[in-house]
């Protein structure tokens, strides 16, 4: 109920807020296009080219700040999802941002029908182009179910992916041994399945989940109450369980050596039938962007909260004020 009230501001027919009848077809469409379970999406090669081109536009010798990174990230997102013709359509993503701000107020904010219609018209225009090398082309070749509403969710969710990517870079900048290991994985192959960098991204989302609250409604009576009871799973409670030896440390290896797989309470991308279908695409885009940034030099932290292997990592991380300086 909560999710529906919030998300209906910009994606009333999105898979995440569908009822039991509408859900299977929307989920199937989403999986067909986003291709979870494939570390390399069928369009990984053109996506890697887009990421390399946009990363090359970042000033390589200057200190990197969030605003600069975020502009580049959104160019990548619009190109990957909608095609290069959408690269500079900041109006589209600004409109979505305004609708999302309303969504935070859920039922307490009236719906802006006109803005939603304008956003949808603009988005549909991009999807209709079905530009080769973009998700829009895959959509055009798939049995689409309320495509603009599904894509509105994808665009919105890519915001979290940008934050996770930038926070991963901050972790690497403050953990020299892990940064060296990540850099040694980058050999210029494109597209590449960068296992260690992907594990670093998962670690960033474990430490600072971008979806810290997973909501469910029970369908039958449970120990917590009658059917229809809302259950809130607060993931930081589990991800930072003081009983875990790695709770407050940056430890990418746990995603590679089986420790994360053994612990069902680590759910950076959720779990079960609603597990994030964008998880592989996110890890691909994030790790490829990080590889592009780290190929020629490393980074160290220039400002922001202290992140260090010597002390517990903070419970939250404000990415907006983090600055990272190139070194080496
Ligand atoms: C760091 C980035 C991201 C994280 C941490 C993340 C995490 C999550 C989580 C935790 C859920 C499940 C919510 C629940 O169980 O109720 C979810 C659902 C979803 N995510 Fe992501 N997500 C990310 C980015 C993306 C991206 C970029 C896309 C699309 C390209 C995407 C597509 C979706 C969709 C469609 C759902 C709804 C699935 C359903 O209801 O069946 N996500 N995501």
């Amino acid at each position: 109920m909560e999710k529906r009230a919030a998300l209906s501001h910009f994606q009333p027919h999105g898979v995440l807020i569908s009822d039991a009848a509408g859900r299977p077809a929307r989920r199937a469409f989403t999986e067909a296009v986003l291709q979870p379970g494939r570390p390399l999406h069928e369009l990984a090669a053109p996506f890697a080219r887009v990421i390399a081109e946009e990363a090359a536009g970042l000033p390589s010798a200057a200190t990197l700040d969030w605003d600069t990174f975020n502009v580049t990230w959104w160019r990548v997102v619009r190109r990957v999802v909608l095609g290069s013709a959408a690269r500079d359509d900041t109006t589209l993503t600004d409109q979505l941002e305004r609708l999302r701000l309303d969504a935070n107020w859920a039922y307490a904010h009236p719906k802006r029908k006109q803005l939603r219609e304008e956003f949808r018209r603009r988005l549909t225009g991009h999807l209709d182009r079905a530009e080769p090398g973009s998700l829009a082309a895959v959509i055009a070749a798939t049995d689409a179910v309320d495509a603009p509403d599904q894509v509105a969710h994808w665009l919105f969710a890519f915001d979290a992916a940008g934050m996770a990517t930038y926070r991963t870079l901050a972790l690497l900048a403050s953990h020299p041994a892990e940064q060296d290991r990540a850099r040694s994985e980058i050999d210029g192959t494109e597209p590449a399945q960068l296992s260690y960098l992907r594990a670093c991204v998962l670690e960033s989302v474990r430490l600072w989940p971008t979806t810290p609250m997973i909501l469910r409604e029970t369908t039958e009576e449970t120990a917590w109450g009658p059917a229809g009871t809302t259950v809130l799973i607060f993931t930081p409670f589990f991800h930072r369980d003081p009983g875990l030896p790695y709770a407050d440390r940056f430890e990418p290896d746990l995603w590679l050596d089986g420790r994360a797989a053994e612990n069902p309470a680590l759910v950076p991308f959720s779990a079960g039938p609603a597990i994030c279908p964008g998880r592989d695409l996110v890890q691909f885009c994030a790790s490829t962007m990080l590889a592009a940034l780290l190929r020629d030099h490393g980074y160290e932290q220039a400002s922001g909260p202290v992140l260090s292997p010597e002390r517990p990592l903070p419970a939250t991380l404000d990415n907006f004020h983090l600055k990272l300086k190139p070194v080496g």
Side-chain angles (χ1 to χ4, degrees), residues 4-327:
R4 204 165 287 144
L7 298 180
S8 60
H9 281 273
F10 64 93
Q11 45 151 314
H13 306 105
V15 61
L16 188 58
I17 53 171
S18 303
D19 58 19
R23 200 177 149 71
R26 290 174 185 159
R27 176 79 197 190
F29 162 70
T30 303
E31 290 192 2
V33 180
L34 300 179
Q35 304 176 359
R38 281 184 69 164
L40 295 181
H41 190 276
E42 65 171 278
L43 294 179
F47 293 168
R49 275 198 296 278
V50 162
I51 292 167
E53 275 170 33
E54 295 298 343
L58 280 165
S60 67
T63 296
L64 187 60
D65 60 26
W66 166 257
D67 289 343
T68 310
F69 171 81
N70 201 34
V71 166
T72 297
W73 181 254
W74 277 105
R75 287 179 182 150
V76 167
V77 173
R78 287 186 294 262
R79 291 180 70 182
V80 162
V81 179
L82 305 171
S84 293
R87 176 185 187 265
D88 297 316
D89 191 356
T90 50
T91 304
L92 179 84
T93 30
D94 289 350
Q95 286 173 337
L96 179 60
E97 178 66 17
R98 291 228 305 281
L99 292 166
R100 276 181 56 189
L101 289 175
D102 293 354
N104 287 339
W105 292 92
Y107 14 65
H109 198 292
K111 298 224 164 63
R112 290 191 221 228
K113 281 213 177 100
Q114 200 187 337
L115 178 59
R116 210 187 95 70
E117 278 316 308
E118 276 170 32
F119 167 72
R120 202 182 153 90
R121 225 182 354 261
R122 225 177 160 86
L123 179 56
T124 308
H126 288 302
L127 291 176
D128 287 349
R129 259 194 346 267
E131 195 179 302
S134 73
L135 291 182
V138 188
I139 291 172
T142 311
D143 278 341
V145 188
D146 301 308
D149 274 22
Q150 314 314 325
V151 177
H153 181 107
W154 306 350
L155 290 171
F156 136 83
F158 260 117
D159 196 22
M163 290 184 198
T165 307
Y166 195 64
R167 287 174 180 159
T168 308
L169 189 61
L171 281 165
L172 292 168
S174 53
H175 290 73
E178 285 75 6
Q179 174 159 246
D180 286 348
R181 186 156 156 209
R183 292 192 65 200
S184 68
E185 181 182 51
I186 305 164
D187 66 2
T189 315
E190 266 177 11
Q193 192 180 325
L194 301 151
S195 313
Y196 189 70
L197 275 169
R198 289 171 74 101
C200 294
V201 174
L202 287 169
E203 252 317 67
S204 139
V205 188
R206 175 184 71 84
L207 290 162
W208 301 296
T210 53
T211 311
M213 287 180 271
I214 296 181
L215 288 167
R216 289 290 181 275
E217 228 165 65
T218 60
T219 53
E220 53 189 72
E221 192 180 336
T222 69
W224 297 304
T229 301
T230 295
V231 178
L232 187 153
I233 301 159
F234 186 62
T235 56
F237 179 78
F238 299 102
H239 291 188
R240 298 288 197 111
D241 180 343
L244 298 171
Y246 48 77
D248 298 321
R249 289 208 318 257
F250 177 45
E251 190 142 325
D253 271 329
L254 72 95
W255 297 97
L256 300 169
D257 61 17
R259 276 176 294 162
E262 273 165 18
N263 182 350
L266 300 185
V267 285
F269 285 98
S270 191
I275 186 172
C276 177
R279 62 194 182 278
D280 278 292
L281 184 59
V282 167
Q283 289 175 70
F284 173 76
C285 291
S287 58
T288 305
M289 172 61 93
L290 290 164
L293 291 169
L294 290 163
R295 180 162 302 137
D296 298 330
H297 54 75
Y299 279 90
E300 69 184 28
Q301 235 191 303
S303 75
V306 181
L307 306 175
S308 158
E310 312 301 330
R311 51 203 277 191
L313 290 166
T316 56
L317 182 64
D318 165 10
N319 45 281
F320 303 105
H321 296 99
L322 270 175
K323 291 191 180 164
L324 305 165
K325 152 173 110 197
V327 284

